[in-house]
Amino acid sequence: MFRLLQMLLIATSAFLPSAFLLFSELQPKDLNMSKFKRVLVVFAIAILMFYTIQSFVGIKVYYKKSLCMYPEVQSAFTLTNTERPDNAQDLNIRKAITTGFPNTTSDLSVGSRLTTAKRSDEDTTTAKPTSTTKAINYCPESSPLLHGNLIIPKHKSIFEGNLDPLSYEEISANNPNVQFGGYYPGPANCTPRNSITVIIPYRDREVHLRYLLTYIHLILQRQQTKYRVFVVEQDDNSTFNKGQIMNSGFRYIKGKYGKEFDCYFFHDVDTIGEDDRIIYRCKGGREVVHLSHKIERLRYRFCCGLTIGGVLGLTSSQLEAVNGFPNAYYGWGGEDDDMSKRILEIANFTIYRPPGNYVRFRTLFHEIDGQNPKNPERFKLLKEWKNRAGTDGLNSLQTIIPRVVEFPTHIHIYIKSKPAASNRNP
């Protein structure tokens, strides 16, 4: 009723000046016009007011009908003040936004909009979310979650019965954000700046493996890094061949995951960083990364023939440029020295070793492995490294992968190597 009175008032105020002008033009004698003429004038004014009101009401009626005929238009108008559904007070609004859009999650991105569908006889498309460009919220260069120094078991304590490592189930329970298969997609509130794989060559070192998994998951999550952990085990009775194991792991991961990970860290199972500020990140370009250049066993000095052993990070293209690790070394020793020469002299890369007093690694004690004895041929093979570099590596790898098993903390890849006859079970 209020709306009707409002429209009548508007129409009356609009035509009162016209009526005044009409009568003002009449001469005084005309004021005594006949009753018939006065009726005609009033009737004319009434008709003008009628059509004005009808026109005004017609616009409102058409507007309401259009909302009924095209509910997507009404949705667009309704959402004008709720451009950020996350801030909506009424949950029904949030439900209305997502209804009819199966590809839209309940947690809509900031800045999403609903567009008005075009009216067409051929186009029956309903309103859809528009694709808006959103700036990526990268995690900070220096993670705010880093604590610094970590408490690592003493050199021989794990074999003296003083400490017992956590089980795989306990490690998983302590890391609820790590998905099955040892995968961490990164923190929920920012996008990781890099994504890495950790490849652990392994055989018969379960105590060491559980210790390493305990710490590596803790460290990488604090560094806000996207990562996945792989344990690559030589599953046969032949002499241990670390080069073949690492080449096989790299080939499997790249074949299955493609470019999802941009950095590969090859990590000895008995080597653990003592500080979470030791950043697991490839530099790319002409630099490979050697993290474990200061270890407890050598009194945290880079000396004594240490090359790139322990923890080494390369990109996919860097590893392929040097033809991967050598496959010729069976038993302990030689493969790291050979790989160092490939990096420096074949590809002309440089080796980046992070500075800082906190860059320290602990090596866990272990007894001599009967299936990983010192290789008596390692010095002879090392002298001939350059002659073999082009034909000994990824392009000559002969291993099979009989099975792959997912654990809560990692993916376990089992390989079988094909050792040379002269090195078979010495």
Side-chain angles (χ1 to χ4, degrees), residues 18 44 185 209 225 246 256 318 339 371 397 414:
S18 298
L209 178 58
T225 297
M246 293 187 290
K256 183 173 180 60
Q318 287 173 338
M339 184 62 172
Q371 291 184 316
L397 183 63
Y414 296 86

Side-chain angles (χ1 to χ4, degrees), residues 365-420:
F365 175 80
H366 63 87
E367 303 289 350
I368 296 176
D369 185 356
Q371 291 184 316
N372 187 28
K374 288 187 177 181
N375 185 354
E377 301 291 325
R378 64 186 185 279
F379 297 111
K380 178 181 177 180
L381 290 170
L382 190 57
K383 288 181 180 180
E384 303 170 349
W385 76 269
K386 188 173 289 187
N387 296 332
R388 300 185 339 270
T391 56
D392 176 24
L394 289 171
N395 60 5
S396 63
L397 183 63
Q398 295 184 13
T399 57
I400 60 173
I401 299 178
R403 59 191 174 124
V404 176
V405 180
E406 289 193 1
F407 287 79
T409 54
H410 63 280
I411 291 180
H412 206 111
I413 304 170
Y414 296 86
I415 74 162
K416 291 184 180 295
S417 64
K418 189 177 181 181

